[in-house]
Structure formats: C-alpha cells, structure tokens
C-alpha cells in the first residue's frame, strides 16, 4: 500500500508487485538548467540533453541482464522494475544565468513522465527548496516553487499550483510498501521534526519488516541546510544558512553536525530494521558504512552520481552512472549495482556491487 502524507493525515491506495525480486532505479542531482562541458562529441551540453540520454538508457534497462556476480538475480534479465527513485536537485538553483525552476520542472516532466512508463518516487534537494523559499545569494526570480510543487504533487498525490505551494506546511515525507520492504522518503534529511513523522509512519510497520531510507543529504548532514541559529533565524547573506530543515543548527562556531547526528544515531539504534540509507547531494557513486558519531552503528549507505555535477563523471562522461537496487525478502538480501550508462563503446557496463542482509 502506498501512503501519502501531508504532515499527519494519511491516505492509502494500492501498489502491487508480484515478482519474488524487485528492482528500483536510483538516481539523483539531475540539475536541469546547467550544462556539462562535454557530452557525446558536443561542448556545453544542456541538462535537458544529458538527462534525456539517461532516460533513454533507463527505458531500455528491461532488455539488459545483471552480471554473473553474487548479487540478487545474478545473470538474469532485469525485470519487475517497481519505479525510479530521484533523490532531489531536479532543478538547479536559479542563480543567473540559470533558468527558473518552473522551466526545469517542465523539462523534467517531458523526459521522466513523457518518455518513461515507470512509477516515480521523487524527493526535493537543497536546490529545489532554495528556489522556492529563497537563498542567501541572488536568484532570478527570487522565488519559484515550480519544482517543489511538482515534486509534492507526484509524491503526495496532490494537484496544486506553484503559487499554492507552502514549504513550511507541505514537507515531502511519504512511504511505500513494495513486496515486503518499507520504503521511506524523507524531506532533505531526517532531522528532529522529520523523525517525528518517521516514528509515526514506522509505528504502522512490523519491526520485522526491512526499512530503506531515501533522502537528499547523507547521514552526516550538511550544517548549512539547518535553520539559522542567529537573530531572526531568517535566510540572509551574513549567516549563509539555507533554512531547509526545521531544526535549528546547534553548533554554528564549529559548523559541525555532530550534535544533530547524535539525535539521528539514537533514532537509528532504536529502529534496527532500518537496513540501508540512500542519498545524493555529494555527486559521486559510493557504497559505504555509516558508523555514527557514537561508533555503534554500521548502516550500509549508497550515494548516487549526478548526470551534471558528478565529481568523477563531470570531467569524464564515461564515468556517468546510475544504480539499480534489487531485493528479495525471501532471501533476506538486497543488492545495489552501479551501472555505467555512457561508456566509450556505447555498451552499458556494470561496476560496483554490494549485497547486504535485509
């Protein structure tokens, strides 16, 4: 059952996937509105062109086979793709000369809804939110909630305009059950307010059910994304806080998130059925463990590449990658594989792989 949330109210409707193993495509940081230096023989290539190429690759995934590794469905054709998770920054921040968020959102829908037939599970990133609520530096226009309203409408099953969208009251937290696994999609990062929502959501879930967390920010967070602890707690060029999270930053002198992470650590230790955490924001593919500030955690974490801002893939287009998440609750396993989708010879190539217990 898919559950849509606007803070506390709950609406349910069905989502059915009958295969033993389930696959999800995981991407992040699409950044419509900017250009890559090089792509497929052209210079200064737009985010629309690059994303359309990645969409074309995703549209053919069900014709590919998994590698003969030790992961879920090894050597088998990719089928039963339950959806595409997009972990934010769909639009780039509209700092001149970058186009407004509404233009980027239209380009995104042309690609990801106009071409693909898969269910979308979108989340906002810091760029998407800043476009809607403002930013310490100049943007044109100063506010454009086009991307945020669009993400909200898909995620929460609503139909509002950008003028009607209110970030203070319309956070994008929602969840989905697919074949015995509970997927939780969190607004930016699981801060103290978002954790209240997650607690209520998990109260409806068996403690034996594996839970996957998807967010834009990594478990370590980003201090600038918290609410300013200074003065009127507003967004201003002096403080440089972005006010994306409701929680006020606790340690402005050190610009550290250690105190905020401590709260997250306690929450994760309380919910051992949270088996993995997926995020974007830092723009390269990585599979690592989050040990927390206490060192008591060992949470598998998966970070996605960006088609436009990848640390490795921006200077080298052949490093462009996406991830395919596969799980089977009957085997109590989950596998994440990195797929290079823009190789020099045009043949997609599997690279990193990690399998964990559910």
């Amino acid at each position: 059952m898919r559950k849509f949330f606007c803070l506390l109210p709950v609406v349910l409707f069905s989502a059915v996937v009958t295969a033993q193993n389930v696959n999800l495509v995981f991407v992040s940081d699409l950044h419509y509105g900017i250009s890559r230096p090089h792509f497929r023989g052209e210079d200064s290539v737009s985010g629309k062109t690059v994303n359309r190429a990645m969409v074309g690759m995703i549209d053919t995934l069900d014709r590919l086979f998994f590698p003969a590794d030790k992961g879920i469905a090894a050597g088998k054709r990719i089928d039963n793709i339950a959806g595409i998770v997009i972990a934010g920054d769909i639009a780039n921040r509209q700092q001149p000369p970058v186009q407004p968020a509404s233009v980027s959102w239209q380009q995104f829908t042309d690609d990801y809804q106009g071409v693909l037939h898969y269910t979308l599970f979108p989340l906002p990133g810091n760029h998407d939110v800043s476009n809607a609520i403002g930013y310490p530096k100049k943007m044109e226009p100063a506010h454009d909630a086009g991307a945020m309203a669009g993400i909200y409408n898909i995620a929460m099953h609503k139909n509002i305009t950008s003028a009607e969208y209110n970030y203070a009251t319309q956070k994008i937290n929602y969840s989905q059950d697919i074949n015995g696994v509970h997927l939780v999609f969190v607004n930016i990062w699981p801060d103290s307010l978002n954790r209240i929502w997650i607690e209520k959501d998990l109260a409806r879930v068996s403690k034996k059910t594996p839970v996957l967390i998807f967010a834009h920010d990594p478990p370590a967070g980003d201090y600038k994304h918290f609410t300013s602890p200074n003065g009127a707690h507003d967004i201003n060029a002096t403080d440089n806080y972005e006010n994306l999270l409701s929680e006020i930053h606790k340690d402005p002198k050190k610009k550290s998130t250690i105190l905020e992470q401590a709260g997250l650590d306690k929450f994760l230790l309380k919910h051992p059925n949270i088996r993995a955490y997926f995020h974007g924001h830092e723009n390269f593919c990585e599979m690592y463990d989050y040990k927390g500030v206490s060192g008591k955690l060992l949470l598998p974490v998966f970070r996605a590449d960006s088609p436009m801002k990848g640390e490795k893939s921006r200077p080298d287009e052949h490093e462009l990658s996406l991830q395919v998440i596969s799980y089977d609750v009957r085997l109590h396993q989950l596998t994440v594989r990195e797929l290079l989708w823009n190789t020099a010879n045009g043949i997609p190539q599997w690279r990193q792989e990690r399998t964990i217990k559910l």
Side-chain angles (χ1 to χ4, degrees):
M1 301 289 286
R2 187 171 185 177
K3 295 179 272 187
F4 294 103
F5 296 82
C6 177
L7 295 184
L8 298 180
V10 180
V11 179
L12 304 179
F13 73 93
S14 62
V16 178
V17 178
T18 57
Q20 181 173 338
N21 66 289
V22 171
N23 301 302
L24 293 164
V25 180
F26 180 49
V27 297
S28 189
D29 295 82
L30 307 183
H31 288 286
Y32 280 84
I34 62 172
S35 299
R36 285 183 58 90
H38 309 288
F39 185 71
R40 295 184 175 177
E42 300 292 334
D43 297 333
S44 189
V45 183
S46 72
K48 179 170 177 57
T49 297
V50 178
N51 274 280
R52 177 60 69 95
M54 186 166 73
V55 163
M57 175 65 246
I58 294 171
D59 198 38
T60 64
L61 276 178
D62 57 3
R63 304 176 200 169
L64 300 182
F65 287 77
F66 285 123
D69 54 18
K70 296 181 180 180
I72 296 291
K76 296 182 179 179
R77 186 172 66 84
I78 303 174
D79 57 5
N80 301 307
I81 298 176
I84 302 171
V85 181
I86 305 162
D89 282 353
I90 291 172
N92 196 79
R93 192 181 299 114
Q94 56 207 18
Q95 293 174 265
V98 175
Q99 66 196 21
S102 293
V103 176
S104 293
W105 180 255
Q106 184 59 58
Q107 292 177 346
F108 166 79
T109 57
D110 289 345
D111 292 341
Y112 284 80
Q113 291 186 299
V115 176
L116 295 173
H117 58 278
Y118 299 122
T119 300
L120 299 181
F121 300 105
L123 278 169
N126 55 303
H127 287 242
D128 304 308
V129 179
S130 289
N131 285 336
I133 67 173
Y135 186 65
K137 298 179 182 179
K138 181 182 178 181
M139 298 192 303
E140 291 183 2
H143 301 89
D144 184 340
M148 286 301 294
I151 296 168
Y152 182 79
N153 285 337
I154 294 175
M156 315 302 280
H157 200 49
K158 300 291 184 180
N159 186 24
I160 65 170
T161 66
S162 59
E164 294 170 324
Y165 180 75
N166 185 332
Y167 185 65
T169 59
Q170 294 171 319
K171 298 295 193 299
I172 300 171
N173 291 313
Y174 63 109
S175 63
Q176 169 86 55
D177 291 331
I178 303 178
N179 275 34
V181 174
H182 190 68
L183 313 179
V184 177
F185 304 95
V186 181
N187 189 87
I188 300 294
W189 188 78
D191 71 341
S192 55
L193 184 63
N194 286 334
R195 291 198 298 271
I196 292 173
W197 176 86
I198 301 172
E199 285 281 10
K200 292 181 178 181
D201 180 60
L202 294 185
R204 310 168 192 275
V205 178
S206 168
K207 295 185 183 300
K208 295 181 180 180
T209 299
V211 175
L212 307 180
I213 299 287
F214 294 87
H216 180 69
D217 280 1
D222 186 326
Y223 86 91
K224 298 186 301 296
H225 294 175
F226 289 86
T227 291
S228 170
N230 305 318
H233 308 295
D234 61 347
I235 299 171
N236 61 78
T238 301
D239 294 342
N240 208 35
Y241 282 92
E242 298 175 26
N243 287 18
L244 311 179
L245 296 163
S246 299
E247 187 174 338
I248 295 175
H249 186 229
K250 297 180 178 66
D251 196 356
K253 290 185 179 180
K254 293 184 179 179
K255 297 182 179 179
S256 165
T257 62
I258 295 297
L259 298 176
E260 287 78 15
Q261 286 183 70
L264 176 61
D265 285 8
K266 290 179 182 178
F267 172 80
L268 293 172
L269 289 168
K270 180 182 176 182
H271 296 283
N273 58 329
I274 296 176
R275 301 300 195 191
Y277 186 111
F278 296 81
H279 71 90
H281 185 51
E282 292 173 328
N283 303 327
F284 60 96
C285 178
E286 185 180 15
M287 304 177 184
Y288 65 102
D289 289 318
Y290 175 68
K291 298 180 181 179
V293 294
S294 65
K296 296 179 180 179
L297 289 165
L298 196 64
L299 179 68
V301 180
F302 301 89
R303 181 198 320 268
D305 184 32
S306 164
M308 300 304 295
K309 289 189 173 183
E311 182 178 301
K312 299 177 182 178
S313 62
R314 184 170 172 84
D316 182 356
E317 65 176 284
H318 303 312
E319 290 290 314
L320 284 163
S321 73
L322 56 81
Q323 293 178 13
V324 179
I325 304 165
S326 307
Y327 62 79
D328 189 330
V329 292
R330 284 179 265 190
L331 296 177
H332 305 287
Q333 287 185 333
L334 176 145
T335 298
V336 179
R337 296 178 174 95
E338 178 190 19
L339 179 64
L340 299 177
W341 61 267
N342 190 55
T343 59
N345 62 10
I347 300 174
Q349 178 183 334
W350 298 101
R351 190 160 59 179
Q352 294 185 72
E353 174 268 331
R354 185 179 182 187
T355 297
I356 64 171
K357 293 183 178 179
L358 284 180

